[in-house]
Amino acid sequence: MCIRVQFVPRDEIHEVWDRARNVITIPDSLSATTRFTLKAVRAVLEEMGVEQSEFGARCWCGEYMHIPAAIRQQQLNEVIHLGA
Ligand SMILES: [Zn+2]
């Protein structure tokens, strides 16, 4: 099962890495640009022991992950709703 990324408000984050759901949670303040998001996602992945290449973010299966960026508030709420 591949790793997914979701954004939530910083004060609602309990765990950055949800092992059961394979979800990395990033503060929504970092969703503004792909660069910020990527940096945060890579940091979490590296902490999990998933080796990262020079660009992008790699899932533990070796595939490059789709990094959602610059999402609108409405979409953000949707992600939270679906993730709950
Ligand atoms: Zn994967």
Side-chain angles (χ1 to χ4, degrees), residues 28-55:
D28 57 5
S29 56
L30 293 177
S31 69
T33 71
T34 310
R35 204 161 71 91
F36 285 161
T37 304
L38 202 53
K39 205 175 164 192
V41 170
R42 284 173 60 101
V44 175
L45 287 166
E46 274 172 5
E47 219 165 278
M48 286 156 54
V50 183
E51 216 168 288
Q52 297 302 300
S53 52
E54 196 175 346
F55 302 105

Side-chain angles (χ1 to χ4, degrees), residues 1-3 59-63 65:
M1 191 187 195
C2 282
I3 300 167
C59 181
W60 48 33
C61 67
E63 297 257 335
M65 289 167 58

